[in-house]
Amino acid sequence: MSELAAERWGSSGPRIVMVHGSLNSAAAAFGEQRVLADRFQIIAPYRRGYSPSPGTPKIDPDRDAAEIAELLGDGAHLVGTSMGGVVALRAAALAPDKVWSLTVIEPPALPNGAGRPAADHLSAALRMHWDTADTTDLESFGQGFLRVLGVDMALPSPLPAPLAEALSNLTTERPWDTGVPLEKLSKTTFPKLVVTGGGTPGFEDVADALAEALSAKRVVFEGSPHAVQRIGQRFNDELVAHLRNAGTPPGREFR
């Protein structure tokens, strides 16, 4: 049994495992997808280090991937946003026979975008931020991180406890070094969807590289936030269409 706490929405229909990113945990990241519980069983775990799941001194995407793969059970659709997208991609590579479809939203798999100008620029800028920022000043660190991404948003001061926890976790990540195993993933047959919001050129480069390597459907919701799923219905409609096209094993069909 997994040690991870999880939100569980819906009691019937195909299963979806949804993996949150660095600055939002499960309920906050996927609140707009809760309406889909009328036709899906949604499992949205809190990654290790995010309360109420067990703590960790350092975020480990490979450990996260193994724990997400365990939650797939005997099969599920898999969705990941931001660093959760990297985790989802790595989990899919670990257990491809258990993945019915894969959807990733602006995953910072920057090594996979190497050689593309905007991805290289973002990778270098993130590395410099980690090298020069005071990681003990979480508010300043987080605000600088958002500036690197080109996100015009002020963090609340003082930081709410969940955001402080998330930023503390973020300081242990290395987003310029979190690639995914494209060669292995390219051999898988489950349908793939890569989504972005058009706001961070480096993430657009990464998403283009992933979509090309994986023969994935590529969708851009221009003007959307980094966590594109938070736009709600427009994203949900695209996701549901993707899941319907993917199909599910007999006995687990849509209602």
Side-chain angles (χ1 to χ4, degrees):
M1 297 291 292
S2 172
E3 291 185 275
L4 301 182
E7 302 293 336
R8 296 177 184 269
W9 304 320
S11 58
S12 62
R15 185 186 304 118
I16 313 174
V17 175
M18 296 185 170
V19 190
H20 70 82
S22 298
L23 295 186
N24 276 310
S25 60
F30 297 111
E32 296 294 336
Q33 282 64 63
R34 190 168 182 171
V35 297
L36 301 179
D38 65 340
R39 70 201 88 166
F40 296 101
Q41 299 177 64
I42 299 173
I43 303 172
Y46 292 82
R47 290 166 48 210
R48 189 171 294 270
Y50 292 82
S51 301
S53 283
T56 180
K58 181 180 180 181
I59 296 298
D60 181 344
D62 284 324
R63 180 184 59 202
D64 285 350
E67 292 182 320
I68 295 303
E70 182 181 350
L71 287 173
L72 295 173
D74 59 356
H77 298 287
L78 184 55
V79 177
T81 182
S82 192
M83 186 57 74
V86 169
V87 170
L89 284 155
R90 293 188 182 193
L94 290 176
D97 57 320
K98 296 181 179 181
V99 178
W100 299 338
S101 75
L102 175 65
T103 301
V104 291
I105 304 153
E106 297 209 357
L110 287 162
N112 301 107
R116 297 178 184 237
D120 288 345
H121 176 79
L122 179 57
S123 183
L126 287 168
R127 184 190 294 267
M128 179 173 291
H129 179 58
W130 259 253
D131 286 346
T132 59
D134 178 2
T135 56
T136 66
D137 184 345
L138 295 178
E139 186 175 335
S140 176
F141 177 85
Q143 204 66 66
F145 173 69
L146 294 177
R147 282 196 298 271
V148 171
L149 298 185
V151 175
D152 184 16
M153 182 182 78
L155 295 176
S157 182
L159 296 172
L163 182 55
E165 177 183 66
L167 286 168
S168 180
N169 287 331
L170 178 63
T171 66
T172 73
E173 293 181 3
R174 297 295 180 265
W176 59 88
D177 195 32
T178 54
V180 300
L182 284 186
E183 183 175 357
K184 185 170 184 178
L185 287 165
S186 68
K187 298 174 183 176
T188 61
T189 58
F190 50 79
K192 304 164 185 74
L193 172 64
V194 180
V195 175
T196 57
T200 303
F203 290 153
E204 299 300 314
D205 268 0
V206 169
D208 289 343
L210 293 176
E212 290 172 19
L214 301 178
S215 299
K217 183 177 182 181
R218 178 80 172 88
V219 176
V220 182
F221 289 94
E222 290 287 354
S224 298
H226 171 56
V228 182
Q229 75 279 3
R230 299 186 76 175
I231 67 175
Q233 184 173 347
R234 284 192 299 144
F235 172 85
N236 289 349
D237 289 347
E238 185 69 47
L239 176 64
V240 169
H242 175 60
L243 304 190
R244 285 186 183 276
N245 289 335
T248 54
R252 304 186 186 191
E253 295 85 356
F254 292 81
R255 289 188 291 124

